[in-house]
Amino acid sequence: MQFMLLFSRQGKLRLQKWYVPLSDKEKKKITRELVQTVLARKPKMCSFLEWRDLKIVYKRYASLYFCCAIEDQDNELITLEIIHRYVELLDKYFGSVCELDIIFNFEKAYFILDEFLLGGEAQETSKKNVLKAIEQADLLQEVSNTGLHPESFVNPSCV
Amino acid sequence: MPAVSKGDGMRGLAVFISDIRNCKSKEAEIKRINKELANIRSKFKGDKALDGYSKKKYVCKLLFIFLLGHDIDFGHMEAVNLLSSNKYTEKQIGYLFISVLVNSNSELIRLINNAIKNDLSSRNPTFMCLALHCIANVGSREMAEAFASEIPRILVAGDTMDSVKQSAALCLLRLYKTSPDLVLMGEWTSRVVHLLNDQHMGVVTAAISLITCLSQKNPDEFKTCVSLAVSRLSRIVSSASTDLQDYTYYFVPAPWLSCKLLRLLQCYPPPEDGAVKGRLVECLETILNKAQEPPKSKKVQHSNAKNAILFEAISLIIHYDSEPNLLVRACNQLGQFLQHRETNLRYLALESMCTLASSEFSHEAVKTHIETVINALKTERDVSVRQRAADLLYAMCDRSNAKQIVAEMLSYLETADYSIREEMVLKVAILAEKYAVDYSWYVDTILNLIRIAGDYVSEEVWYRVIQIVINRDDVQGYAAKTVFEALQAPACHENMVKVGGYILGEFGNLIAGDPRSSPLVQFNLLHSKFHLCSVPTRALLLSAYIKFINLFPETKATIQEVLRCDSQIRNSDVELQQRAVEYLKLSSIASTDVLATVLEEMPPFPERESSILAKLKKKKGPGAVSVTELEDNKREGGELNGGGDRGPDTAAMAASNASTPSPSADLLGIRSAAPVGAPPASTGSLLVDVFSEAGPAAPSAAVNDDGFLSSAPPSEDPAPPLSEADELLNKFVCKNNGVLFENQLLQIGIKSEYRQNLGRMYLFYGNKTSVQFASFTTTVSCPGDLQSHILFLNVQTKPVEPLVEGGAQIQQVLNIECLTDFSDAPLLNIKFRYGGALQNLTLKLPVTINKFFQPTEMSSHDFFQRWKQLSQPQQEAQKIFKANHSMDTEVLKAKLLGLGTALLDNVDPNPENYVCAGVIQTKSQQVGCLLRLEPNAQAQMYRLTLRCSKDSVSRRLCELLAQQF
């Protein structure tokens, strides 16, 4: 896989993961182009399309589009299920995930993705194992974070 | 704000995100962000040391701002500090920031690498994983240099945790993709391959991606993976749907791993070991059988996972292309999907069937689905699916169904999406030509094409129909009649006028017997379109008119009248004006005999590859027209035309080169390589030639003047080539224009251009002195096999003026045709008298085999596949040499492009390397060539590797190129 993008129906980018080295400018150009292309497609259309010399696999979940770019010899259907498994992981972690969870906890969305996919390839496909890894990390956070941090009491406007 | 906020919520971050979301306008957002940036900057600069939490929070805010699309130019140092925090959550945010916003600041890279090194050696698996994720996400060369040797050790160590192994495998893969030279598996190879046997399915899933990539590059070293992969696959395929616990996905056992295993096997030929092969065939059969079983779940995830494996299995079956039984079963299975209610499956089935159509075992089976595919073309609602259907129709087309398929594609064209029209037009044109049983059908098809989709008919297409009509006298009368009828339409496309003008100008006489299409009727019909046409078309029509005068003397007065009118003879366009003037003059002063010679029917075009195919290939990339297809087409074409593929040089119709913005450039012949030895159509340049030939001043000396009877030309033998001739030649390998030679007396400049196997070279001889050169002669001798008298190159030229005045320059044109591949350059001998002394000088003409390159674009996959196919030792030529010139990227790129090949980006996993691909066009054959240049800037060395389908070409190119860098 070359990259994965999550964006909303309004075209707002919510998550971007690049597995090939590209300049920021190029990334922005690709994002713009793809968001436009995918949003223009009608609901019943097929989930795959040819784009440049890549294959785009996308699926919409509620208000969010999940969009992956894969290479010529990669398998479209299994990529569709990579997307689904990622959605399941988010769902399990956040408890019926919605777009807001990904906006406010974007760093978590990246961490979960890193446990699942690395370098554009599936690292661990077992839902249980991925969540175990993430929960272990959360546990480490709780331990290191015993007691409320003083900032929690601070007036938010001072932040 | 979401109800769930796991771990440690950073309240300040959440507030900031809320604020941004509440911004009503882009300006408000920018304002809020700038305020935040100022705040963070002051915190980072403040005297008070920030605690880890605050640092983490601010770094995270910066990251958020960056991900919103704003630039971030600070905070890197704070993020790096977080890496060395003991607190996991701070470390994690630090790594995330680095992964997303890595900066090539070398100072930081060193610090980052240090932190990573500490975490890798921490023996804390969570920290190790974080570090490995970071390396995999960044994947830079610096990181490869620092860690490429360490990670294989972690990957295979007995005490490494499974999760760390998984990360290590994929981390290594990423490094291998960016810097293959730094990742050396060597001693680890067999232990890495044996990860396929690991008990932990997750480890196997991660490791197999690495093994697949390594196998693609070093198939021999990794070939033991085949039997391991087969047994692993067999165990998964035969397991019950619950055996694999959490690796079962919607009742499908380990779909990701299965797909990856099948993918790995596609790196290799079928297993040689009978038992292994038997087991694999069994697996493939089981997968095909399972497709027929009722689904275990109604969920789309179940069917997707199951079918993902099925499609991957079919890919493997197609890759092997050796099991007719499996191929036919695969085809039947795909046939069922063609009518499936899931659009995705229909799309994939059409795509997969395209490859099946090229296998001899399944071609017939694919053809049985023609009605379904035609139906898909008509009824699919999604254009990408229709595109697949059109591709498949193209792939399954052969003589038996060509008429039906072409007819369907033509009728689809009327409503086709604009985005795919041009490609459809090319496909129809190719199929019509390739499978034409009678040429009247071909002519009808192309004219229909112009009628239906005239705007999308590229030059290549209408050039081609003219080439074919000119070369086939049995179709000329029919073509004339048909275009005549087509032109009757009140509004016809300009391309139709071009074809009509050309064909009636050549063959209008064949239908002139019928009073309904008498010469004057034909002329009036053409001329009625004249005023609506663009300049290039008008120029073409003027040429047709002058041809009419020759064909039908009775039209002479009418046409002269037209030429004489102000709108022609004083046309503001210089090309039109010149044609009108010259044609008018020609028609009034030349005798009938001269006219008949000048305006003779076009000679047949040389037989060559269809330029339309090349166009389609360019448009679609190599996937569309594979090398084998090109070869295949060559065969098929030969069949149709009774020997050799006719492919007249499109540009030979200089007068009608429609796309050339300035047709006057054309007239000079710069852009058009006319067929060697054949006079181009009635262009101005031809007129000049004719007149000079007839004029009294024209030299009558032959090219090879042996001076037996004539006294003036020097009769000495040509001098041996200059000692620096090779050096001079080398200067022109990657460029076509420049000064070839210069001494105190003479300067020789060169301009040349090549197209397919033809070339045209302009030599400019400049007299640098103030004294006249007398008896100036030039002789070109071509390389060839002396014993068999077979020429490799054919170079034709006219003698030059024997006198070159002081300070003057004369020009000579050479027409070059490459007959077969060659090593020796043609020799140019120049003799002249300067102040009584005979000057005799021989140079090598810079005509090298690479001049006949046609660039070939191809994907990484195709490149390496071709590369592997050219694996016989004699097909490869390699040289390692010291850099003689600048190793600057741009300079290298320019040279490689000048070479004539396509410079392929993103093919070589190492971005420092250059790979190129091209096909050398000679009259007798095409030679595919792949090139790889690996610079080593440190050592100032290069390694150059060439693989060509002909070994002599590999060697010659290698010799030539080693001098260039």
Side-chain angles (χ1 to χ4, degrees):
Chain A
M1 188 184 298
Q2 298 220 340
F3 55 85
M4 185 192 244
L5 302 175
L6 267 64
F7 51 88
S8 70
R9 265 163 70 193
Q10 290 75 36
K12 287 238 182 219
L13 191 59
R14 297 301 182 202
L15 180 140
Q16 44 175 321
K17 190 78 190 177
W18 305 87
Y19 297 111
V20 283
L22 289 168
S23 68
D24 284 346
K25 206 174 138 199
E26 182 69 5
K27 286 177 187 171
K28 281 187 181 162
K29 191 170 158 235
I30 291 176
T31 309
R32 219 173 24 245
E33 224 178 293
L34 266 186
V35 168
Q36 221 170 26
T37 312
V38 171
L39 287 181
R41 290 175 65 86
K42 298 192 188 75
K44 283 275 170 190
M45 285 189 164
C46 112
S47 310
F48 321 124
L49 54 121
E50 283 184 335
W51 182 79
R52 299 194 187 173
D53 51 350
L54 297 174
K55 299 194 286 198
I56 302 298
V57 177
Y58 72 94
K59 189 163 180 178
R60 185 177 146 182
Y61 288 86
S63 59
L64 218 50
Y65 283 89
F66 289 69
C67 175
C68 297
I70 56 174
E71 280 145 72
D72 190 44
Q73 67 273 38
D74 291 337
N75 189 311
E76 291 99 334
L77 284 175
I78 208 73
T79 309
L80 214 45
E81 294 319 299
I82 288 228
I83 294 177
H84 187 74
R85 171 109 302 175
Y86 182 47
V87 173
E88 285 184 347
L89 289 166
L90 293 171
D91 198 62
K92 192 90 183 169
Y93 181 79
F94 288 109
S96 65
V97 66
C98 66
E99 194 183 336
L100 280 181
D101 292 315
I102 295 172
I103 297 173
F104 280 94
N105 301 285
F106 69 95
E107 78 284 9
K108 289 282 189 274
Y110 280 96
F111 297 148
I112 295 172
L113 188 57
D114 270 355
E115 290 294 337
F116 175 42
L117 296 181
L118 195 60
E121 297 282 338
Q123 171 174 222
E124 178 54 88
T125 59
S126 149
K127 196 155 65 174
K128 233 191 276 171
N129 289 352
V130 174
L131 290 171
K132 205 163 71 193
I134 293 287
E135 271 154 20
Q136 260 173 3
D138 277 343
L139 216 58
L140 281 172
Q141 302 190 355
E142 313 269 321
V143 173
S144 59
N145 248 11
T146 43
L148 287 167
H149 193 272
E151 200 205 39
S152 306
F153 302 103
V154 174
N155 183 340
S157 62
C158 306
V159 182
Chain B
M1 222 181 295
V4 186
S5 179
K6 283 220 180 185
D8 67 324
M10 285 175 277
R11 190 170 162 74
L13 175 67
V15 170
F16 174 59
I17 296 176
S18 283
D19 280 1
I20 295 288
R21 286 177 54 76
N22 289 333
C23 286
K24 295 277 186 291
S25 65
K26 193 82 197 162
E27 292 72 38
E29 183 185 307
I30 292 174
K31 213 174 139 199
R32 179 67 186 88
I33 284 170
N34 285 337
K35 183 181 156 202
E36 193 63 40
L37 286 174
N39 172 44
I40 298 173
R41 197 169 283 154
S42 74
K43 290 280 197 265
F44 283 168
K45 278 197 186 141
D47 312 328
K48 218 167 45 162
L50 286 178
D51 61 15
Y53 172 81
S54 309
K55 218 182 274 175
K56 174 182 85 169
K57 182 184 69 187
Y58 292 130
V59 165
C60 210
K61 280 182 180 177
L62 287 178
L63 187 57
F64 181 79
I65 294 171
F66 177 78
L67 290 170
L68 274 181
H70 303 269
D71 291 334
I72 293 295
D73 54 4
F74 69 103
H76 300 82
M77 200 59 204
E78 284 73 14
V80 174
N81 284 342
L82 285 178
L83 296 184
S84 39
S85 163
N86 289 327
K87 290 192 181 142
Y88 178 80
T89 117
E90 288 165 17
K91 196 187 268 297
Q92 198 182 24
I93 295 289
Y95 272 126
L96 180 60
F97 185 93
I98 299 296
S99 307
V100 176
L101 260 137
V102 77
N103 196 308
S104 54
N105 184 326
S106 58
E107 195 57 29
L108 276 182
I109 286 287
R110 207 170 46 79
L111 291 173
I112 295 167
N113 281 354
N114 246 342
I116 291 177
K117 203 164 281 166
N118 287 338
D119 281 335
L120 280 185
S121 50
S122 68
R123 308 188 69 82
N124 174 339
T126 15
F127 285 7
M128 288 172 87
C129 281
L130 271 187
L132 289 168
H133 291 179
C134 180
I135 302 174
N137 282 326
V138 176
S140 67
R141 179 132 190 116
E142 289 89 346
M143 286 197 176
E145 276 162 3
F147 304 110
S149 54
E150 173 65 14
I151 298 172
R153 213 185 314 274
I154 297 176
L155 175 60
V156 297
D159 58 349
T160 306
M161 299 266 295
D162 289 330
S163 62
V164 178
K165 274 190 195 171
Q166 286 165 273
S167 298
L170 293 175
C171 183
L172 203 54
L173 169 62
R174 175 70 197 264
L175 293 184
Y176 184 75
K177 281 185 181 166
T178 38
S179 319
D181 53 322
L182 296 176
V183 179
L184 303 168
M185 297 314 291
E187 47 180 325
W188 311 115
T189 303
S190 106
R191 292 172 74 180
V192 169
V193 170
H194 275 86
L195 289 172
L196 287 177
N197 265 343
D198 202 284
Q199 283 185 326
H200 191 282
M201 294 279 274
V203 172
V204 189
T205 307
I208 193 169
S209 296
L210 172 68
I211 294 167
T212 304
C213 184
L214 291 168
S215 300
Q216 279 166 344
K217 305 291 158 61
N218 325 287
D220 284 344
E221 283 169 52
F222 284 83
K223 64 169 178 266
T224 49
C225 70
V226 172
S227 60
L228 293 179
V230 169
S231 58
R232 191 93 212 192
L233 180 70
S234 154
R235 268 179 284 158
I236 297 173
V237 168
S238 55
S239 65
S241 56
T242 49
D243 285 359
L244 304 176
Q245 291 157 353
D246 210 35
Y247 289 93
T248 297
Y249 180 83
Y250 291 86
F251 304 102
V252 181
W256 284 281
L257 182 52
S258 305
C259 284
K260 287 186 180 193
L261 285 163
L262 288 161
R263 177 84 198 85
L264 170 62
L265 291 170
Q266 288 171 57
C267 303
Y268 290 91
E272 281 157 19
D273 182 329
V276 176
K277 184 165 182 201
R279 207 163 167 199
L280 177 57
V281 169
E282 219 169 85
C283 286
L284 295 170
E285 279 170 345
T286 313
I287 294 171
L288 285 167
N289 290 341
K290 279 189 177 173
Q292 297 299 324
E293 288 170 12
K296 294 198 174 66
S297 153
K298 284 208 167 64
K299 288 246 162 67
V300 68
Q301 283 77 26
H302 171 71
S303 74
N304 278 352
K306 196 166 121 177
N307 291 327
I309 299 172
L310 178 62
F311 275 106
E312 208 58 69
I314 291 176
S315 295
L316 182 62
I317 293 169
I318 296 173
H319 168 76
Y320 287 163
D321 198 15
S322 60
E323 300 285 327
N325 174 35
L326 289 176
L327 280 162
V328 170
R329 281 194 66 184
C331 185
N332 293 340
Q333 182 59 54
L334 294 176
Q336 289 182 17
F337 284 155
L338 286 181
Q339 317 215 36
H340 203 279
R341 62 189 165 77
E342 277 273 330
T343 315
N344 288 346
L345 283 181
R346 295 198 302 275
Y347 176 95
L348 294 175
L350 288 165
E351 186 183 58
S352 194
M353 250 193 195
C354 254
T355 34
L356 269 182
S358 58
S359 162
E360 55 173 314
F361 301 114
S362 49
H363 183 78
E364 286 305 315
V366 171
K367 275 168 62 185
T368 59
H369 300 288
I370 183 166
E371 297 301 335
T372 319
V373 182
I374 287 174
N375 200 37
L377 187 66
K378 288 177 175 164
T379 57
E380 282 290 350
R381 276 188 291 176
D382 183 347
V383 54
S384 38
V385 186
R386 291 198 295 273
Q387 163 96 61
R388 286 284 89 86
D391 286 349
L392 178 53
L393 282 180
Y394 179 73
M396 67 160 71
C397 192
D398 62 19
R399 187 140 301 161
S400 72
N401 55 21
K403 282 203 172 166
Q404 186 188 7
I405 286 180
V406 166
E408 291 295 347
M409 286 174 108
L410 268 176
S411 78
Y412 171 61
L413 250 178
E414 306 205 31
T415 52
D417 312 73
Y418 296 114
S419 54
I420 60 173
R421 278 197 187 182
E422 191 185 352
E423 192 188 313
M424 292 282 297
V425 166
L426 290 176
K427 286 187 165 159
V428 170
I430 289 168
L431 293 179
E433 180 188 335
K434 196 167 163 184
Y435 300 114
V437 184
D438 61 283
Y439 280 94
S440 47
W441 173 73
Y442 169 75
V443 170
D444 284 343
T445 304
I446 301 297
L447 293 184
N448 263 329
L449 211 50
I450 296 176
R451 212 181 348 242
I452 294 167
D455 282 344
Y456 298 89
V457 172
S458 55
E459 286 172 352
E460 284 85 350
V461 173
W462 75 261
Y463 284 177
R464 191 71 180 151
V465 68
I466 285 175
Q467 290 161 13
I468 287 175
V469 169
I470 292 205
N471 285 17
R472 307 278 320 185
D473 42 20
D474 53 341
V475 76
Q476 288 160 356
Y478 181 80
K481 180 167 157 284
T482 324
V483 285
F484 179 77
E485 281 161 9
L487 286 172
Q488 305 286 337
C492 56
H493 195 274
E494 195 167 328
N495 279 334
M496 188 70 88
V497 180
K498 289 177 185 162
V499 175
Y502 204 109
I503 289 185
L504 292 181
E506 294 290 334
F507 309 115
N509 55 330
L510 299 176
I511 56 168
D514 188 326
R516 285 165 299 175
S517 53
S518 72
L520 263 176
V521 173
Q522 287 184 38
F523 171 74
N524 287 332
L525 180 62
L526 280 180
H527 199 54
S528 68
K529 316 284 180 192
F530 187 90
H531 304 279
L532 296 169
C533 292
S534 63
V535 168
T537 308
R538 289 190 199 185
L540 184 149
L541 285 177
L542 288 178
S543 297
Y545 296 170
I546 186 73
K547 290 226 158 190
F548 266 44
I549 292 185
N550 176 46
L551 287 181
F552 318 115
E554 66 266 39
T555 59
K556 183 167 168 178
T558 319
I559 290 173
Q560 282 183 333
E561 190 76 18
V562 168
L563 293 175
R564 204 174 288 129
C565 78
D566 277 357
S567 63
Q568 309 293 359
I569 213 157
R570 303 219 168 129
N571 195 297
S572 61
D573 184 275
V574 64
E575 170 70 21
L576 291 180
Q577 191 187 94
Q578 187 177 355
R579 285 191 192 213
V581 171
E582 286 179 1
Y583 292 162
L584 183 61
K585 201 73 188 157
L586 180 67
S587 69
S588 30
I589 60 164
S591 69
T592 332
D593 284 351
V594 171
L595 262 191
T597 315
V598 175
L599 302 170
E600 199 182 9
E601 191 179 294
M602 280 290 285
F605 288 87
E607 312 278 313
R608 210 174 309 125
E609 174 71 54
S610 162
S611 51
I612 310 182
L613 260 180
K615 168 105 176 173
L616 181 68
K617 203 167 76 170
K618 214 164 94 193
K619 203 169 157 47
K620 279 284 274 182
V625 188
S626 60
V627 176
T628 48
E629 189 173 351
L630 280 171
E631 284 159 8
D632 178 50
N633 181 59
K634 224 173 159 181
R635 279 202 302 280
E636 298 268 2
E639 217 173 289
L640 164 138
N641 206 22
D645 185 18
R646 77 250 144 260
D649 188 355
T650 57
M653 293 176 294
S656 50
N657 198 338
S659 77
T660 314
S662 150
S664 29
D666 236 356
L667 200 69
L668 299 176
I670 300 285
R671 297 181 59 88
S672 58
V676 171
S682 43
T683 63
S685 59
L686 175 69
L687 297 181
V688 172
D689 287 348
V690 169
F691 290 142
S692 71
E693 197 82 85
S700 54
V703 180
N704 280 313
D705 195 328
D706 32 5
F708 185 55
L709 282 177
S710 60
S711 55
S715 55
E716 271 82 346
D717 284 339
L722 293 176
S723 55
E724 68 266 34
D726 277 314
E727 205 178 303
L728 298 172
L729 176 83
N730 280 331
K731 284 203 308 194
F732 283 85
V733 170
C734 296
K735 64 173 185 179
N736 286 337
N737 306 324
V739 173
L740 175 65
F741 171 81
E742 185 159 12
N743 62 13
Q744 294 95 332
L745 306 178
L746 179 72
Q747 186 193 51
I748 306 175
I750 281 194
K751 255 182 144 169
S752 51
E753 53 180 22
Y754 295 85
R755 184 191 293 239
Q756 304 207 333
N757 72 329
L758 298 184
R760 179 175 285 192
M761 180 178 278
Y762 295 82
L763 291 167
F764 301 92
Y765 304 99
N767 182 344
K768 289 172 67 182
T769 69
S770 51
V771 184
Q772 187 189 57
F773 292 163
S775 314
F776 193 90
T777 57
T778 64
T779 321
V780 176
S781 51
C782 296
D785 188 332
L786 285 176
Q787 279 172 350
S788 56
H789 297 284
I790 295 170
L791 277 183
F792 300 152
L793 265 186
N794 182 10
V795 179
Q796 299 203 357
T797 181
K798 287 212 173 78
V800 290
E801 294 283 333
L803 295 180
V804 187
E805 295 301 333
Q809 189 185 60
I810 57 166
Q811 179 188 339
Q812 184 176 31
V813 186
L814 308 182
N815 284 321
I816 301 159
E817 185 183 19
C818 178
L819 304 172
T820 180
D821 71 285
F822 60 95
S823 294
D824 294 324
L827 298 178
L828 170 71
N829 176 252
I830 302 153
K831 288 184 208 143
F832 59 93
R833 287 190 183 279
Y834 168 67
L838 176 74
Q839 306 290 324
N840 184 349
L841 142 97
T842 302
L843 295 165
K844 290 192 175 176
L845 274 180
V847 182
T848 44
I849 184 69
N850 64 294
K851 300 293 179 194
F852 303 97
F853 257 128
Q854 293 271 98
T856 315
E857 292 291 344
M858 51 175 83
S859 69
S860 176
H861 173 70
D862 293 318
F863 182 88
F864 285 106
Q865 202 167 9
R866 283 290 290 154
W867 185 265
K868 258 188 278 171
Q869 284 165 4
L870 295 171
S871 57
Q872 291 168 35
Q874 68 274 21
Q875 288 176 327
E876 179 176 288
Q878 191 174 69
K879 229 176 199 155
I880 297 174
F881 53 93
K882 213 151 180 67
N884 288 318
H885 303 279
S886 153
M887 295 186 82
D888 179 70
T889 318
E890 292 312 311
V891 175
L892 286 181
K893 277 188 181 164
K895 281 188 183 166
L896 288 168
L897 286 173
L899 181 65
T901 51
L903 179 57
L904 305 174
D905 284 332
N906 301 326
V907 166
D908 202 298
N910 181 354
E912 305 289 315
N913 294 345
Y914 301 87
V915 294
C916 304
V919 176
I920 289 183
Q921 308 275 349
T922 75
K923 190 179 181 191
S924 58
Q925 66 181 146
Q926 302 187 344
V927 185
C929 305
L930 302 177
L931 175 156
R932 190 177 197 187
L933 180 69
E934 300 160 271
N936 180 340
Q938 257 178 336
Q940 289 285 306
M941 299 281 285
Y942 289 101
R943 179 162 69 184
L944 171 72
T945 315
L946 277 140
R947 286 191 179 184
C948 306
S949 53
K950 199 168 175 191
D951 28 341
S952 53
V953 175
S954 294
R955 284 198 306 274
R956 178 60 182 156
L957 283 174
C958 196
E959 273 167 32
L960 279 173
L961 287 174
Q963 311 293 327
Q964 298 299 316
F965 299 104

